[in-house]
Structure formats: C-alpha cells, structure tokens
Amino acid sequence: MVPILSALLVFIFGAIIGSPDAPFPQGDEIMHIRSIRESLEMGSYLLPSLSGLPNPYKPPLLFWFGMTSDQIFGVGYVSERLVPLVFGFGSLYLLYRLAFLIRNARIEAAFTSILFGFSFLSLKFFSLMMMEGLMVFFVLFYFYHFYLYRITKRKVYLVVGSIVSGIGYLLKGPILHVYLSLFILSYFYVTVIRFRKGKLSFKWKQFLEDKFVVLSYGLTFIVPVFWILFLYLYVPSGKELLRFFFITENVGKFYSANQPGIRIWFGWILYTIPFTIPLFQMLWNSVLKKNQTKQQIYVQTIFVFLILVTSLHLLPNRKDPYYVTPFVSFLFLLPLFNRMSWKSYLLTKTNQYSILVVYFILMSIAIIVRLPYLFAVSLFVTVVVAGSLFLDQNKTKKFWVILLSQITIIPILIFFLLRPMSDPNLPEQTSDAKRENICVVAENPWTAMDVQNKLEEAKIQFSLPLTIKENCANSNYLINYTSTEVPNEYILVNSWYHWTQHLQMDLPTIFNSMMKMDLTKFKTKISLWKRGVGN
C-alpha cells in the first residue's frame, strides 16, 4: 500500500498545482508570482522587482527559484509551484530518513512521511508559491543533521546542517535563525538544567560535551552576512531595502492592528488536519510519560521548543495561523520517539468516531449545497467506516479502513466540494480581452496582480473606484470588482460571481441563505466592460 499511497499523493499534487485558483489560496502567493514574472520581464534577476521597483517585502531566494523554474519549463503556475513541491517532497524524504534513524522500521517511517504528506499543511503549502513549504524543509534539514550529530558525534553533520539552514535567511529573513536558536535553547534546557527536590542544578559537563552545537550555530550567519554586506555596500538602493525590511516589514508587525492570540493556537489545530486528534493524543501522552530514555530527551526538547515558538508568535500584533507551519512535522515524530505505532493511535475510539462525524458533516453539506458526488462518496465512506467500527473486529482490516478514510478527507474536500463550487475561470470569462489593455477596478492592487497573473498576455492597469476616469483612460476593457458605477462610455460585455473572502454575516442569515440555496449572499458580482465604438 505504501507505493499506492505515494502515487496517490503525487497525483493529487499534480492535479492541484496547475490550477490558477488553488483550492486553499493564500493572498501572498499573488504577489510572489507577480514578482517572479515581472522580474523576468524586466531582467531583474539579482534583485527581484514588484511594481517596477526592487521587492522590499522578502529576501530573493523564493523568487530566484521561481524565475529559474520559469526559464526552464516556461512561464506558468505549474513551473512556479514546482519549487515548493520539490522542497515539499524533499521535506517528506527528510522526515522519512529521520523517522528511520529514530525507529529503524521502514514501514513506520514510510507511514510517518506519507501521513504528513496528506496533512492540510502539506496539501496547501507544498502546492503554493509561498515561503512556508521551503521553511519546513530548512527547519527539518537542521534537525535531521542535528540528530545525526547526536548519534554519531561527527561534527561534519552540524557544519553542513548549519550552513545550509542558514541559507533559509534568504526566504524570510532572520526568523529562521530565531527558530534555530530556540531549538538549541530548548535542547540545553532539557539536558543541562535540573530541578530536583526544589533545587536548581546545572549539568555543565553535558553542556561542554555539546558545546559544538552552540559554536556551529555561528555558521548559520555566513550567507546572511554576505547578503547584507552586498546590499549595503554594492547596491544603490540596498540601504533603503534593508531599512524597509527590518523596520517597516518586520518591526511593523508589532504596530499593526492587534489580532487575538487564539489564531496561533488555531494554527496547530488547522494545519494538522485530518490527524489533529491522534497527534494531540500523542502530545498528551508524551507529556505524561515518566520513563527517562535517551529518546525521551528529544520528546522533551520538542515539547519545550513548540511552547517557545508558539509564545514567540504571540508577541507581535500579527498572529497568522500559518506561522506554526515550519514545526508541525515535529509532531509526526512523537510516536517514533515514544516507541509507539501509528496503528495504535489511529485505532483509538476517539479518532475512529471523529472520522464518522467528519463524513456525516460532509454528507450534510452535500445535501445543503446539492453536490451528488460528494454525498455519494461521503455516504460510502461512512458506511464502510461504521461497518468496520461496529461489525469487523479484525484490527488489520480496521486499521486500513481508518487510515484510507482519514487520509482522503482533504482530497475529497478538494475534488468533490471545492472544485465543483470554485469561481468561474477568469480567462474564459474574459476571452475577448486576453490580449487587450484592461483596467481593473478594485479596492486592493493585489486584485490587479491576480488578474495579470491569470491573463499573461493582457496589459493590466489598476484603478481605485474613485479614480476610474483618470486611470482607465487608455484601457479598452474594464473589469469591475466593486459596486461602483462604470463610466457611460463602457458597454457591459459579461458578468459573473465569485466567492466573497471576508463575510460579515450573522449566523441566522448564513443558515437561512444556505437553506434557501441563495448563494449570492456569499458572492460578489464581477463585470467585464468594453469601451463603446466611436468613443
């Protein structure tokens, strides 16, 4: 079954990465793809550009990879999303190798890697042109080499792990170095500090034995120092870029509108789906476990590390749930460190009944929004799981039923719920204007970037609703994403609806709209206009 599950995972990713409208979109991807394509058009290879200027929001590594992939395979969503997909599969391989080192059991290691591949985190960020998928790789790369160093005492592993992980600075800046420092701090907190009979003591001998862990950490700064010096000394706008990135972009996160801290905790629940329940059962059992083995050191280190990085992201005012994504893979290692099998956790009553609840909810949604294929698939899985749960006592068969029904939850959501209800295809709706000058009227310039990404041959101009006459004077076509009236010289060509991302509706209104199938309550009208003949 392992090769079959692996092939299924490859098929799912292959079906996702080519669609302009990803099943689980993230707004920043629009800007990243726009920056890659614009940089290729302008020849801005060293310093990627955005809106005609050097991109100050993020370091260039993701854009470099995207431009390279576009030049090799041709400009398109598939080429650009191949980058996070390659690093995603690299993360799955690292996780497999790490799991095999911990347990020396190929099947358990394979299950660990495959289950992580079917998690919401993987299926979302390994198929989006975002930094998060690559961050998972760099964090895992360091931990993998740290673990190799611990079991072999060969310093070369820490040297390689530190230098390569340091390249991760070119993804999101110094935050990766903060993560690595917190991991090292967590490790020494577990191995050096002791609380016994109300007294605090330090095992300095252990610290001296592992001092190379601290010394090698300095190697992670090689690439960042060279890049910062290059910008500062040799790039005319380098000082401004550094100032904007460190002060406006990063420190500014402490001054934006404060967001509730529950968002970070929600990230742990969201991105571990559909294995949230067994993973949290593992975490709880790890906390309660009494025996002190060599492997238990890593369990405690991971536990302290996860507390520290969660606390770190509670400090800024911006608290996006996806900030926890680089560390979710650590949770999948817990059963291996605890000498437990995935089978035992997946077959717990809580996990089995939760699967029935999930598929019952999917059946209910299918009835409400009238999706027959989703209803049929959900009903079939519900019957199979219920039969296995209440009738079949063969644990091996039950394990495979639970495993297959659990890993297919997200794919079923993608192909039987999200795809049938996806927004209309923009190139099809604007087929007459694909190569024209188009003015996009919207509240946010990122909407215009998204249109430009989808209509590669068109020339896009952005306009706010109040500046249509000034900004759209030279445009033959106009796409209106707002309720603003269009000037009289334009003639309506087409209109369609797409799902509204931010809804402010009370629960009774949502319930009544769904029961009446009045889906327009959840949608925004988009219209295509053409300048009239003779104007």
Side-chain angles (χ1 to χ4, degrees):
M1 288 297 294
V2 170
I4 295 176
L5 293 177
S6 302
L8 176 62
L9 191 60
V10 172
F11 169 80
I12 293 170
F13 279 115
I16 291 175
I17 63 173
S19 173
D21 295 305
F24 306 111
Q26 195 75 27
D28 287 353
E29 189 197 31
I30 296 172
M31 180 185 70
H32 298 160
I33 292 177
R34 185 73 248 129
S35 188
I36 289 168
R37 297 182 184 180
E38 183 180 314
S39 300
L40 283 175
E41 293 171 2
M42 298 179 60
S44 303
Y45 302 110
L46 187 60
L47 290 178
S49 62
L50 183 67
S51 300
L53 297 172
N55 189 341
Y57 296 100
K58 292 292 185 290
L61 186 61
L62 183 73
F63 310 122
W64 286 345
F65 284 135
M67 287 187 283
T68 302
S69 185
D70 270 349
Q71 287 185 316
I72 295 174
F73 303 106
V75 176
Y77 285 92
V78 172
S79 301
E80 290 140 2
R81 289 172 177 166
L82 273 178
V83 173
L85 185 59
V86 169
F87 276 89
F89 280 119
S91 299
L92 297 181
Y93 177 74
L94 281 176
L95 194 63
Y96 168 78
R97 292 295 307 161
L98 188 54
F100 182 69
L101 286 174
I102 296 169
R103 188 70 173 271
N104 195 28
R106 292 191 183 277
I107 296 299
E108 285 294 324
F111 275 137
T112 300
S113 181
I114 288 174
L115 294 185
F116 181 61
F118 279 97
S119 69
F120 181 57
L121 182 156
S122 300
L123 291 175
K124 176 176 180 177
F125 285 109
F126 291 171
S127 59
L128 289 179
M129 194 59 182
M130 296 282 293
M131 282 82 176
E132 277 59 41
L134 281 69
M135 288 288 286
V136 173
F137 175 84
F138 281 106
V139 172
L140 263 179
F141 190 89
Y142 181 83
F143 183 67
Y144 173 69
H145 287 81
F146 170 84
Y147 189 77
L148 281 174
Y149 163 76
R150 284 280 301 154
I151 62 178
T152 65
K153 297 301 180 182
R154 295 182 63 184
K155 296 179 180 179
V156 65
Y157 289 122
L158 268 184
V159 171
V160 172
S162 298
I163 293 176
V164 173
S165 298
I167 299 174
Y169 169 88
L170 297 178
L171 280 174
K172 297 187 75 171
I175 188 64
L176 182 64
H177 288 73
V178 176
Y179 294 156
L180 298 185
S181 65
L182 290 179
F183 175 79
I184 294 172
L185 178 64
S186 302
Y187 172 71
F188 282 114
Y189 173 82
V190 172
T191 57
V192 175
I193 299 178
R194 287 289 182 270
F195 291 97
R196 290 182 178 177
K197 297 180 180 180
K199 294 183 179 181
L200 176 66
S201 61
F202 299 90
K203 296 179 63 175
W204 295 113
K205 182 180 179 181
Q206 182 65 45
F207 177 80
L208 293 176
E209 288 180 359
D210 285 325
K211 63 181 182 297
F212 190 71
V213 174
V214 178
L215 297 176
S216 63
Y217 175 71
L219 300 175
T220 63
F221 291 94
I222 293 177
V223 172
V225 168
F226 274 105
W227 177 248
I228 292 172
L229 288 176
F230 171 76
L231 288 178
Y232 189 84
L233 298 175
Y234 297 104
V235 177
S237 59
K239 295 178 183 178
E240 288 73 20
L241 288 173
L242 291 171
R243 186 181 300 111
F244 181 92
F245 177 69
F246 284 108
I247 298 177
T248 305
E249 174 68 7
N250 286 282
V251 178
K253 292 178 180 179
F254 290 87
Y255 296 96
S256 56
N258 198 8
Q259 297 174 331
I262 192 66
R263 288 166 60 89
I264 292 295
W265 297 106
F266 178 67
W268 288 112
I269 299 174
L270 177 64
Y271 291 109
T272 53
I273 292 174
F275 309 107
T276 304
I277 289 178
L279 285 175
F280 276 80
Q281 286 178 321
M282 296 173 194
L283 188 62
W284 181 249
N285 291 340
S286 300
V287 173
L288 297 180
K289 198 162 186 177
K290 302 284 186 181
N291 56 317
Q292 297 296 320
T293 64
K294 289 185 177 181
Q295 299 288 39
Q296 197 65 16
I297 290 175
Y298 299 107
V299 174
Q300 295 171 356
T301 299
I302 290 174
F303 183 70
V304 174
F305 175 61
L306 297 183
I307 291 177
L308 290 179
V309 293
T310 303
S311 302
L312 170 70
H313 285 299
L314 289 173
L315 296 178
N317 289 357
R318 285 179 58 184
K319 301 177 177 69
D320 288 322
Y322 68 83
Y323 288 165
V324 305
T325 54
F327 328 110
V328 169
S329 60
F330 286 84
L331 294 177
F332 284 79
L333 295 172
L334 290 178
L336 301 164
F337 280 127
N338 285 330
R339 314 299 294 178
M340 297 291 290
S341 68
W342 277 101
K343 184 176 181 179
S344 62
Y345 283 107
L346 294 179
L347 289 180
T348 60
K349 292 294 184 182
T350 304
N351 186 58
Q352 293 183 64
Y353 283 117
S354 70
I355 295 174
L356 283 177
V357 171
V358 169
Y359 279 100
F360 178 78
I361 293 173
L362 288 178
M363 279 197 299
S364 303
I365 294 174
I367 294 172
I368 292 173
V369 298
R370 301 176 187 177
L371 294 175
Y373 293 113
L374 176 63
F375 177 79
V377 171
S378 301
L379 177 61
F380 172 76
V381 177
T382 302
V383 171
V384 172
V385 173
S388 173
L389 184 60
F390 298 110
L391 301 177
D392 195 345
Q393 299 302 315
N394 187 307
K395 284 194 173 182
T396 300
K397 291 181 180 179
K398 185 178 293 187
F399 168 70
W400 285 109
V401 168
I402 296 302
L403 174 67
L404 292 174
S405 61
Q406 197 152 4
I407 65 175
T408 52
I409 288 176
I410 303 297
I412 287 173
L413 280 174
I414 294 173
F415 296 109
F416 294 98
L417 177 62
L418 299 180
R419 281 288 171 85
M421 299 184 67
S422 61
D423 292 330
N425 184 277
L426 183 63
E428 292 179 0
Q429 300 297 325
T430 59
S431 57
D432 296 334
K434 286 183 178 179
R435 297 176 178 84
E436 299 287 342
N437 294 327
I438 303 175
C439 187
V440 175
V441 181
E443 301 289 348
N444 194 313
W446 284 17
T447 304
M449 292 184 188
D450 188 35
V451 173
Q452 182 68 84
N453 291 340
K454 294 175 180 176
L455 305 178
E456 297 178 35
E457 298 178 345
K459 295 181 180 179
I460 304 300
Q461 173 68 41
F462 169 69
S463 174
L464 291 169
L466 297 179
T467 59
I468 295 179
K469 289 188 176 181
E470 295 82 356
N471 293 332
C472 301
N474 298 321
S475 300
N476 297 327
Y477 285 84
L478 183 149
I479 303 178
N480 188 10
Y481 281 81
T482 68
S483 58
T484 304
E485 291 188 5
V486 174
N488 294 330
E489 61 263 30
Y490 286 94
I491 300 173
L492 180 65
V493 176
N494 192 14
S495 64
W496 61 95
Y497 289 87
H498 74 173
W499 295 102
T500 304
Q501 293 184 356
H502 304 288
L503 288 173
Q504 293 183 347
M505 299 171 63
D506 53 36
L507 288 177
T509 303
I510 292 176
F511 181 77
N512 290 332
S513 300
M514 293 183 67
M515 295 304 297
K516 295 177 181 178
M517 285 300 294
D518 187 9
L519 298 182
T520 57
K521 294 284 187 180
F522 306 94
K523 293 187 174 184
T524 302
K525 186 177 181 179
I526 313 299
S527 53
L528 173 67
W529 302 76
K530 182 179 181 180
R531 191 180 294 276
V533 179
N535 291 319

